[in-house]
Amino acid sequence: MTEEPEWKTRRERINKKLNALAPAWQIIKYKDNLDTSTLECHAVEEYPTVNGPADYALVVKGKLLGIVEAKKVGVGAYNALEQAKRYSQGAQDGQGSWNGYKVPFLYSTNGEQVYFLDTSHADQLVQ
């Protein structure tokens, strides 16, 4: 059996799970000059940060509140939290500052496992 590529994990596993949530996340691709203030419940793919593009940026009522780092299903998702942390630190339009992070809610997933970090709680941060 061949290993599932990351793009397929995102499309077949992660996107489906985001769409199944209530309310469902509307998944859109990032484009230049995207006005995030108009977004209500959107997962923006390939969202740019100073530290590279985040796989998904979760925007609620115009506010960037979450970063999701995706990995292919054969890769453990826990270590991807470190990437999500970097993207949070490099988000130019983050909503505040929590221990140096500009986006409060960080996730990593391989479509099967999901890890979560709330950066507003310093005791959760792994150094």
Side-chain angles (χ1 to χ4, degrees):
M1 181 173 167
T2 61
E3 191 171 292
E4 182 175 278
E6 185 176 308
W7 66 265
K8 189 170 184 179
T9 298
R10 288 170 68 173
R11 186 184 72 205
E12 297 294 323
R13 298 174 190 268
I14 299 168
N15 288 4
K16 285 182 179 180
K17 288 180 180 180
L18 286 168
N19 286 323
L21 295 171
W25 291 92
Q26 184 176 350
I27 301 167
I28 61 172
K29 294 264 187 207
Y30 177 81
K31 60 183 177 187
D32 288 337
N33 301 316
L34 176 66
D35 182 2
T36 57
S37 69
T38 64
L39 303 180
E40 286 295 313
C41 187
H42 289 76
V44 183
E45 294 180 314
E46 300 302 320
Y47 194 83
T49 75
V50 172
N51 299 325
D55 289 327
Y56 300 88
L58 305 178
V59 181
V60 179
K61 296 183 180 177
K63 295 181 179 180
L64 174 57
L65 297 178
I67 297 286
V68 179
E69 179 57 28
K71 294 297 175 194
K72 59 187 172 183
V73 75
V75 174
Y78 180 76
N79 290 333
L81 272 176
E82 292 303 315
Q83 276 184 273
K85 286 179 182 181
R86 285 194 305 275
Y87 298 145
S88 175
Q89 292 167 330
Q92 294 180 335
D93 54 351
Q95 297 305 307
S97 182
W98 299 272
N99 304 299
Y101 299 93
K102 298 173 186 166
V103 179
F105 306 118
L106 308 180
Y107 303 85
S108 63
T109 183
N110 63 5
E112 297 297 316
Q113 301 170 313
V114 178
Y115 293 93
F116 169 71
L117 179 65
D118 179 347
T119 64
S120 68
H121 294 287
D123 59 326
Q124 286 190 21
L125 299 176
V126 178
Q127 299 299 325

